[in-house]
Amino acid sequence: MQNVMLAAARGGLQPFPQETFAKYHRILRRLLSIPEEQMVVCGISVGKAMVEGQETLMPRADIDEFATFQGFEV
């Protein structure tokens, strides 16, 4: 993970390690066809930081326009 994060940072991105994926390994297993003997324990979110006062090159879409969430009902 460290090497991927360093490479992302070198490319001008901001990586953010997330352990929270471990809580959802059963959901992820079904959605991503992960074998029973394997388990997701972490992940990395990668993106560009929103800098205050700096205009974005493109307008930001609302999350509902590009993502769907399954298995996270309250």
Side-chain angles (χ1 to χ4, degrees), residues 37-62:
E37 66 274 4
Q38 296 179 3
M39 183 172 126
V40 175
V41 293
C42 60
I44 303 172
S45 296
V46 179
K48 289 194 171 263
M50 183 180 248
V51 179
E52 192 172 325
Q54 180 183 23
E55 289 189 35
T56 59
L57 297 176
M58 297 176 62
R60 291 187 181 257
D62 187 54

Side-chain angles (χ1 to χ4, degrees), residues 2-46:
Q2 178 186 9
N3 290 343
V4 171
M5 292 174 63
L6 289 171
R10 175 85 165 111
L13 299 171
Q14 289 191 317
F16 184 75
Q18 296 185 337
E19 176 274 336
T20 191
F21 290 112
K23 297 177 192 172
Y24 304 107
H25 68 91
R26 288 183 185 92
I27 296 168
L28 294 172
R29 178 175 287 125
R30 286 192 318 267
L31 294 173
L32 302 176
S33 301
I34 298 170
E36 192 66 33
E37 66 274 4
Q38 296 179 3
M39 183 172 126
V40 175
V41 293
C42 60
I44 303 172
S45 296
V46 179

